[in-house]
Amino acid sequence: MRLLERDDTGEFRLTDVPNNKVPPYAILSHTWGDEEVLFSDLKNGTAKDKAGYVKIQFCGDQAERDGVNFFWVDTCCIDKSDKIELQSSLNSMFEWYRNAAKCYVYLSDVSACKRDTDGKPSWELTFRKSRWFTRGWTLQELVAPATLKFFSRDNKLLGDKQSLEQEIHDITQIPLNALRGAPLSDFSVVERMSWIKGRETKYEEDKAYSLFGIFGVHIPVIYGEGEDKAFDRLREKIDKDFDRLAKLWSTGPRDPRIDKERIETAKGGLLADAYRWIFDNRDFNRWRQLPESHLLWIKGDPGKGKTMLLCGIINELERPTTSDGGNLVYFFCQATDSRLNNATAVLRGLIYLLAKRQPRLLSHLPEDSYASDDAMAWIVLSRVLLEMLRDPYLKATYLIIDALDECVVDQQKILKLIVQISSVSLAVKLVMSSRNWPQIEEQLATVPQQSRLSLELNPESITTAVEAFIRYKVHHLSQLKRYDTKTETAIKGYLSSNANGTFLWVALVCQALADPKVRKWHSLEKLRAFPPGLDSLYARMKEDISHSEDADLCRQILAVTAIVRRPIHLRELTRLVALPDDISNDLESLSELIGLCGSFLTLRDQIIYFIHQSAKDFLSGKPTHHASREAYNWVFPHGTTSVNRTIYSRSLDTMSRELHRDMYKLCRPGFSISEVKVPNPDPLATVRYSCVYWVDHLCDTISGINISRNNALLDDKNVYTFLETKYLYWLEALSLLHAMSDGIIAIRRLEGLIVRTNKTPAKNSG
């Protein structure tokens, strides 16, 4: 990079600095005029003879007033006669503006000295009409810097990007979040493309080239190719980068940002008063401020608000981090979803967000794709993540992983990688959360200079946060039920006395009170029936279900939901549970049935989730609580093997009935999967889960019974019948579901079962 600095005589001189040793510098944004100072003018001493020198003088003087010794101006700091340097500069421009310590906008067509008839400054109107807002290259100069000051041609400060953001938004139609420093990857390609509309450039190709930084791409500059060709190459590069990221998954990208939004929505929104306490916490600030402290481990019992605490940390750190060009990436583990409960999924999510935040890191990704549980995927992707974090251009980066205890597959691998990452770069800081598990503590204990934040050791802060949560929930309850002051106060008092610092307990009790069937005059009686403590509350919920008219249906639904490998849709549930016809064909009745499952389950977009991992653990008999073992015996009277057998058997029956040739009526072979549009209604809606996971449940059935796996498979000739009659249709369905790699793994698992037998079943005649 080439910068200007003032020498001892007060003159400006050019100086070359290595990219890894760039000092703090100011940068100028302006529109070009007729007599700009060029690189050659500074070299031959004729710079002061040109009208554009006033802008050089202004930038240098303002930088000096701001305590910055170096500054950069595009007209003279790039040798445009050197095509290689010009190409490199155009591809680096966005980063140069983003990394500047100060950025000044010089508006040559706006004067702060003009006054209206009342004697007030009249620059606002000319500001809105300034040519600066119509130029192509000034788009990235507006978006990239964290701070941006606007000056008139009389060198008067008009305001900055923050104080003038509404005016800038009105002029440009660029979203306020983008002006405030939100990651540009949060905005769609179409939306970002629209920002260049109405802007002009001297060369038509520059309309596309000025978007390089907006999309984080680097491609050759070819003046003379024309605007259309330049945009074609830009879109091709954007599509190629997306495809490269998409190959991380076998069934399409899973964006951790969407999972975060889902979690916040499911929990009723993020309450700032419930997490702000952490920013005054000594352990948190020690981790944040000390360069040598790389790891913060937040630990606590179930329901203590760890996930929402991390959501709050993300929200508070994201904007200042990304606006300075840094990265904040995260992943939320979820034990009940096989797409979110394994170490490789964590890697995919972190790599995806890192590459979206800093696209130049895409160069570390290989061209290959990886099967969902291929052992090689972990080896390759862990190497990719480490290379990304060692990249010399990596800015300050936060890695946040929630619920490490819910990473049930290869947990030790991800823990060892976290230990390795903690020493890989000074630019990287990590935040992890989990329950108080000894095996996690044992691994993380090897990280030097770590910070630990135990929620149980911060009772005052947690109690204050829970009290804020109680006020928030009871206020909404009171509005819903129209409580009088006495009732509202009594509910607050009971919740405060029994919450024991547990957000989830409060949420579950308030959810039960919000039930339309609970009349407001019964609220206090209903409230006092809820015992303190999560396990006791879960036990009460289970007892209520077991004595209801629909107890058996609820039991079957809870059993299936606890066993399936990802959250299932209501339509998928109808094929896995024996439901009466008048219910299975009525989504409204199905939704009502889920509601009867005692707050263990919740529905979001017609997908069934456990309200919390601790709820599933309780029904699965994992806690030592006596009531949990009783709940397990009620939900699984014949053990989990029986439920796996039911899921596998009903899946096979459903696929045998419903799969057929050309499910989506594509009408011709060789149809590109990228061009396939899902019909409405989707003929695969009910069998999506079954197609991908039936083999897993077959294997779990066989491993769970006390006989030879060969005999178990041979005794059930339905597998052979299905493969003989529906194999190709199954493969077609997997392809339409973008799950072909999962199908290949399933076939390998089937082979592993079949090759162990020395005989084959007799084929049915006909």
Side-chain angles (χ1 to χ4, degrees):
M1 188 178 188
R2 187 179 293 116
L3 295 172
L4 284 160
E5 66 173 326
R6 194 189 299 268
D7 62 23
D8 295 337
T9 65
E11 299 296 319
F12 299 123
R13 67 182 181 191
L14 292 167
T15 184
D16 292 312
V17 295
N19 286 333
N20 61 345
K21 294 183 179 179
V22 177
Y25 62 91
I27 199 165
L28 183 69
S29 175
H30 66 112
T31 55
W32 280 48
D34 293 331
E35 289 192 15
E36 295 295 344
V37 175
L38 305 179
F39 173 77
S40 56
D41 296 321
L42 284 174
K43 284 294 186 181
N44 59 30
T46 59
K48 292 184 178 181
D49 299 335
K50 291 196 168 182
Y53 188 78
V54 295
K55 291 187 279 189
I56 310 291
Q57 187 73 50
F58 158 75
C59 190
D61 291 346
Q62 186 60 45
E64 187 174 36
R65 283 191 288 272
D66 288 336
V68 181
N69 296 326
F70 297 87
F71 64 103
W72 186 91
V73 181
D74 59 347
T75 58
C76 57
C77 288
I78 303 173
D79 182 1
K80 296 176 180 63
S81 65
D82 185 332
K83 292 183 179 180
I84 295 177
E85 180 178 334
L86 177 61
Q87 179 126 223
S88 174
S89 298
L90 293 182
N91 274 286
S92 303
M93 201 84 74
F94 186 90
E95 290 299 318
W96 289 348
Y97 276 90
R98 165 161 280 177
N99 295 336
K102 302 288 181 180
C103 185
Y104 312 128
V105 177
Y106 182 88
L107 302 176
S108 58
D109 52 0
V110 177
S111 172
C113 296
K114 291 184 178 181
R115 307 260 170 186
D116 59 20
T117 54
D118 296 327
K120 296 179 180 179
S122 59
W123 60 265
E124 288 91 343
L125 182 60
T126 51
F127 177 80
R128 289 177 177 273
K129 295 182 177 180
S130 175
R131 182 168 169 262
W132 187 85
F133 290 108
T134 70
R135 304 303 295 169
W137 284 105
T138 56
L139 170 61
Q140 65 176 6
E141 295 163 18
L142 168 63
V143 173
T147 59
L148 189 66
K149 291 184 177 181
F150 291 85
F151 291 85
S152 68
R153 68 181 181 221
D154 349 272
N155 301 349
K156 302 295 185 183
L157 177 64
L158 305 176
D160 58 25
K161 190 159 66 168
Q162 285 71 39
S163 64
L164 296 170
E165 68 172 19
Q166 189 59 51
E167 290 86 348
I168 297 170
H169 166 71
D170 293 340
I171 297 166
T172 64
Q173 296 302 300
I174 295 174
L176 289 172
N177 280 344
L179 297 175
R180 293 168 181 167
L184 294 180
S185 57
D186 289 354
F187 304 92
S188 70
V189 171
V190 173
E191 186 172 13
R192 282 179 279 171
M193 283 285 186
S194 71
W195 299 347
I196 197 66
K197 289 181 180 178
R199 291 178 176 263
E200 301 172 356
T201 55
K202 181 177 181 180
Y203 302 105
E204 58 179 315
E205 298 89 353
D206 278 341
K207 271 199 171 183
Y209 301 162
S210 62
L211 291 172
F212 284 176
I214 301 294
F215 289 101
V217 301
H218 295 79
I219 56 177
V221 173
I222 309 174
Y223 284 109
E225 66 176 326
E227 180 180 333
D228 291 343
K229 180 63 176 176
F231 270 105
D232 285 345
R233 288 196 302 116
L234 175 61
R235 292 189 183 95
E236 182 181 347
K237 174 61 173 171
I238 293 169
D239 291 343
K240 183 179 179 182
D241 286 350
F242 178 82
D243 290 343
R244 201 167 182 182
L245 274 177
K247 288 181 179 179
L248 287 168
W249 287 267
S250 59
T251 55
R254 188 171 183 92
D255 192 334
R257 294 172 295 187
I258 304 301
D259 288 319
K260 178 176 177 288
E261 289 178 15
R262 171 182 58 77
I263 289 167
E264 291 181 0
T265 301
K267 294 180 182 290
L270 187 59
L271 183 64
D273 288 343
Y275 70 77
R276 285 253 170 86
W277 65 268
I278 197 169
F279 293 94
D280 296 321
N281 179 271
R282 179 175 56 84
D283 294 318
F284 178 84
N285 285 311
R286 175 181 178 276
W287 162 81
R288 191 176 179 185
Q289 295 166 7
L290 294 181
E292 65 271 18
S293 182
H294 293 283
L295 173 66
L296 172 65
W297 177 29
I298 298 174
K299 57 179 182 172
D301 292 335
K304 293 293 185 180
K306 297 184 293 296
T307 295
M308 296 306 276
L309 185 59
L310 261 62
C311 286
I313 291 172
I314 291 168
N315 287 0
E316 294 292 332
L317 295 184
E318 187 166 40
R319 182 166 295 164
T321 301
T322 56
S323 63
D324 286 339
N327 309 290
L328 189 148
V329 299
Y330 47 85
F331 190 87
F332 292 85
C333 300
Q334 186 176 330
T336 55
D337 192 334
S338 62
R339 300 164 299 180
L340 301 173
N341 70 357
N342 60 87
T344 305
V346 176
L347 288 183
R348 288 189 168 104
L350 296 177
I351 290 171
Y352 176 84
L353 278 186
L354 263 178
K356 293 285 282 186
R357 302 297 200 213
Q358 201 169 331
R360 71 160 65 222
L361 297 175
L362 274 168
S363 60
H364 297 288
L365 272 175
E367 298 289 342
D368 307 281
S369 58
Y370 313 99
S372 57
D373 67 349
D374 184 354
M376 283 300 296
W378 168 264
I379 295 172
V380 175
L381 293 178
S382 58
R383 184 184 305 133
V384 167
L385 181 60
L386 288 170
E387 288 176 358
M388 283 180 157
L389 298 178
R390 291 189 182 111
D391 190 287
Y393 293 100
L394 184 79
K395 304 296 181 182
T397 297
Y398 292 102
L399 264 61
I400 300 177
I401 304 175
D402 178 55
L404 278 171
D405 52 286
E406 296 193 38
C407 180
V408 296
V409 179
D410 292 332
Q411 185 183 93
Q412 289 299 304
K413 283 185 177 180
I414 196 67
L415 288 170
K416 290 177 180 177
L417 183 64
I418 288 169
V419 173
Q420 190 175 358
I421 290 173
S422 67
S423 61
V424 78
S425 169
L426 293 176
V428 179
K429 283 183 174 285
L430 302 99
V431 184
M432 309 290 136
S433 77
S434 76
R435 300 187 196 183
N436 295 299
W437 282 11
Q439 62 267 38
I440 294 178
E441 182 167 9
E442 182 179 354
Q443 286 289 339
L444 297 184
T446 60
V447 178
Q449 296 293 327
Q450 63 174 276
S451 296
R452 295 188 183 187
L453 198 162
S454 171
L455 300 185
E456 283 73 27
L457 296 180
N458 289 271
E460 291 185 7
S461 297
I462 300 300
T463 299
T464 302
V466 171
E467 287 293 331
F469 185 64
I470 289 171
R471 291 193 298 271
Y472 171 78
K473 298 297 286 187
V474 174
H475 174 71
H476 282 269
L477 259 181
S478 186
Q479 288 184 321
L480 177 68
K481 298 288 187 178
R482 299 182 181 178
Y483 293 145
D484 56 31
T485 303
K486 181 179 179 181
T487 302
E488 184 175 342
T489 302
I491 292 174
K492 283 182 184 176
Y494 187 86
L495 294 175
S496 298
S497 299
N498 294 277
N500 193 27
T502 306
F503 290 90
L504 180 59
W505 185 89
V506 175
L508 290 173
V509 172
C510 290
Q511 179 179 321
L513 293 179
D515 189 329
K517 296 176 183 176
V518 178
R519 313 317 302 169
K520 69 176 181 179
W521 52 85
H522 292 149
S523 293
L524 290 178
E525 179 186 355
K526 177 82 171 177
L527 176 68
R528 294 185 180 111
F530 291 113
L534 276 180
D535 285 343
S536 298
L537 179 58
Y538 288 150
R540 171 60 190 266
M541 288 160 49
K542 175 261 171 187
E543 283 300 307
D544 288 345
I545 299 170
S546 64
H547 291 101
S548 68
E549 294 180 3
D550 299 293
D552 189 58
L553 282 178
C554 290
R555 182 189 61 76
Q556 291 183 60
I557 291 171
L558 288 170
V560 166
T561 308
I563 292 296
V564 289
R565 294 177 171 242
R566 67 157 170 80
I568 56 175
H569 193 279
L570 286 175
R571 295 191 184 279
E572 295 171 322
L573 178 71
T574 63
R575 299 303 189 265
L576 303 179
V577 174
L579 298 168
D581 290 341
D582 56 344
I583 294 180
S584 63
N585 297 320
D586 182 1
L587 290 183
E588 186 175 343
S589 296
L590 272 174
S591 300
E592 186 177 347
L593 192 56
I594 298 301
L596 295 175
C597 290
S599 296
F600 282 108
L601 304 179
T602 185
L603 269 180
R604 294 190 293 275
D605 299 324
Q606 297 186 338
I607 297 175
I608 309 166
Y609 297 88
F610 269 99
I611 193 72
H612 192 265
Q613 179 62 30
S614 61
K616 179 185 176 183
D617 290 346
F618 179 84
L619 295 179
S620 301
K622 290 186 178 180
T624 56
H625 199 285
H626 174 69
S628 176
R629 293 194 294 273
E630 286 188 348
Y632 174 84
N633 292 333
W634 178 72
V635 175
F636 304 104
H638 306 293
T640 57
T641 298
S642 175
V643 180
N644 273 303
R645 185 188 299 114
T646 298
I647 295 174
Y648 137 69
S649 179
R650 292 186 67 85
S651 293
L652 216 55
D653 289 344
T654 296
M655 291 189 296
S656 297
R657 285 195 315 271
E658 300 185 18
L659 295 184
H660 57 79
R661 185 184 181 194
D662 199 12
M663 294 286 292
Y664 282 4
K665 293 183 169 51
L666 303 178
C667 299
R668 61 183 175 88
F671 201 95
S672 173
I673 192 64
S674 61
E675 299 175 14
V676 173
K677 294 183 179 179
V678 179
N680 187 16
D682 181 5
L684 291 174
T686 57
V687 295
R688 284 176 169 264
Y689 182 86
S690 297
C691 285
V692 176
Y693 294 104
W694 72 271
V695 174
D696 294 294
H697 291 288
L698 169 62
C699 293
D700 288 344
T701 299
I702 292 174
S703 63
I705 54 183
N706 194 24
I707 59 175
S708 163
R709 68 170 61 198
N710 299 332
N711 291 339
L713 186 58
L714 291 171
D715 287 344
D716 191 345
K717 296 188 174 75
N718 289 333
V719 175
Y720 294 96
T721 302
F722 172 76
L723 294 175
E724 284 179 338
T725 60
K726 298 288 183 175
Y727 180 66
L728 292 179
Y729 304 152
W730 176 45
L731 294 182
E732 179 188 333
L734 287 169
S735 178
L736 293 171
L737 296 174
H738 297 267
M740 203 64 208
S741 61
D742 294 313
I744 292 171
I745 294 166
I747 292 167
R748 287 175 178 168
R749 298 192 73 184
L750 270 178
E751 287 177 341
L753 296 177
I754 295 172
V755 296
R756 289 175 174 82
T757 183
N758 295 320
K759 59 180 180 178
T760 57
K763 294 184 179 180
N764 296 330
S765 58

